[in-house]
Amino acid sequence: MPTSDNKPIRKCVCFDVTFAALRDAGVKTLEEAGERFGCGTNCGLCRPFVVRMIETGETVFAVEGEG
């Protein structure tokens, strides 16, 4: 968890879908996340987090490079 005032990243903001919801739905690929939920198909900022969720099961990510 982040130690700064930055809020952790928990979801695709374009489609308001949490990474936990993707994990719980059994999403196995970035393409599947896009087809089923739209994630990664608009601005694309969630793509690396979706991939990391698929690889590790993590659903909350610290904001890096701030401060």
Side-chain angles (χ1 to χ4, degrees):
M1 295 298 273
T3 57
S4 69
D5 291 339
N6 295 320
K7 293 182 181 180
I9 300 165
R10 299 176 183 269
K11 67 180 180 176
C12 164
V13 295
C14 293
F15 294 95
D16 197 28
V17 177
T18 65
F19 303 127
L22 295 176
R23 182 195 60 203
D24 294 348
V27 169
K28 301 290 185 207
T29 67
L30 180 59
E31 292 76 20
E32 181 183 1
E35 290 170 5
R36 292 178 60 191
F37 298 94
C39 299
T41 65
N42 195 35
C43 80
L45 291 176
C46 69
R47 289 179 191 149
F49 303 106
V50 172
V51 169
R52 190 162 152 197
M53 179 279 302
I54 292 166
E55 292 174 348
T56 68
E58 292 175 78
T59 60
V60 179
F61 304 97
V63 176
E64 297 178 6
E66 295 290 322

